[in-house]
Amino acid sequence: MKPLQIDFISDLVCPWCVIGLYALQHAIEELKQETNQQFDAQIHFLPFELNPDAPPAGLEKFTHVAAKYGLSKAQVLVNQQNISQRGLELGFEFNMEKRSHYYNTFDGHRLMYWAQLSGQQLELKRALFTAYFSQGKNLSDHKVLTEAAVSAGFDATEVSAFLASDHCKTQVRAHQLQVRKWGIQSVPAIFINQQYLISGSQSVAAYKKALKDIASGTQV
């Protein structure tokens, strides 16, 4: 089976990106077990901003969703319940009642780019998802980002210094441009070996079949 490079395109305030990532990880682990660890897939994260113009205080959840998607508060609550159930099934705890706003995530994406240099993107991604969706924290706050990074194994002083700088801004913008060139307009989306695109959050079984077909040379 050929190795797979998976570009996982997502935003840090997208609940379906959480579902998609955890389902994808389950699929990868199942394939590794079934192939006696011969299956090789590496996940690399690329940035996508759902709310690039969000103010420092964020966008109030229900007001923003009503304006952007035309959903009522009741509809949002039902969706949140469904997402929370999906999360539990995959091993992630959503506490949607704690999440009051959507925030600007650019600095979080800068931190994610920086984390790839030490091979710790996955750990940081999960920590940032937990900070926002489980704890309801403001992901545009450098203190929150630093705390999440520390929980993922980073040094607090180094993270604080990085966030206070302009490092990696150009690289993140370049990655965002690349994602747009690929025609990706919604997340989550995964691009495998820069050839096969899978859009939207899929089930474990669907990811598993797609990954197995691609790795074995059978087109999806």
Side-chain angles (χ1 to χ4, degrees):
M1 304 182 88
K2 63 182 178 182
L4 303 182
Q5 172 64 48
I6 301 175
D7 289 311
F8 190 92
I9 301 136
S10 60
D11 197 4
L12 300 169
V13 293
C14 164
W16 290 109
C17 295
V18 181
I19 298 298
L21 176 59
Y22 275 69
L24 178 63
Q25 286 191 270
H26 277 285
I28 291 172
E29 287 305 312
E30 289 184 15
L31 285 169
K32 284 184 176 180
Q33 292 176 13
E34 292 177 8
T35 61
N36 195 25
Q37 303 302 314
Q38 295 301 306
F39 180 77
D40 180 18
Q42 302 298 320
I43 302 176
H44 172 245
F45 295 95
L46 291 178
F48 190 98
E49 290 183 87
L50 290 169
N51 308 291
D53 299 321
L59 300 165
E60 198 279 328
K61 179 173 63 178
F62 294 114
T63 302
H64 175 64
V65 171
K68 188 171 183 178
Y69 303 107
L71 297 177
S72 67
K73 182 175 181 178
Q75 289 173 313
V76 172
L77 291 174
V78 170
N79 288 343
Q80 288 184 168
Q81 186 176 21
N82 292 335
I83 290 169
S84 295
Q85 182 58 42
R86 289 279 300 276
L88 286 175
E89 293 168 359
L90 292 167
F92 184 86
E93 181 181 5
F94 285 96
N95 290 314
M96 292 297 204
E97 71 282 358
K98 294 183 178 181
R99 186 175 65 107
S100 60
H101 289 72
Y102 290 92
Y103 298 104
N104 183 288
T105 54
F106 185 75
D107 280 338
H109 287 302
R110 279 205 303 132
L111 198 57
M112 282 294 298
Y113 182 91
W114 185 58
Q116 74 178 328
L117 303 177
S118 58
Q120 294 172 275
Q121 272 197 316
L122 180 58
E123 293 84 354
L124 178 60
K125 187 76 163 183
R126 292 171 67 118
L128 292 172
F129 277 155
T130 296
Y132 181 63
F133 287 106
S134 301
Q135 302 168 351
K137 294 182 178 180
N138 179 352
L139 288 188
S140 67
D141 186 325
H142 285 189
K143 181 180 178 181
V144 170
L145 292 175
T146 300
E147 290 173 349
V150 169
S151 74
F154 290 86
D155 178 80
T157 301
E158 291 181 359
V159 174
S160 295
F162 170 79
L163 290 171
S165 74
D166 289 329
H167 293 330
C168 299
K169 287 186 176 182
T170 300
Q171 293 92 328
V172 171
R173 293 300 187 202
H175 275 176
Q176 290 176 321
L177 178 60
Q178 180 61 65
V179 166
R180 288 195 293 272
K181 286 182 177 179
W182 285 340
I184 295 170
Q185 299 180 339
S186 62
V187 288
I190 66 173
F191 205 26
I192 304 174
N193 291 350
Q194 295 194 5
Q195 184 177 3
Y196 302 96
L197 177 64
I198 301 175
S199 299
S201 177
Q202 306 295 322
S203 66
V204 174
Y207 278 134
K208 188 175 174 181
K209 182 181 185 306
L211 296 178
K212 186 175 181 179
D213 287 347
I214 295 170
S216 63
T218 304
Q219 290 190 359
V220 178

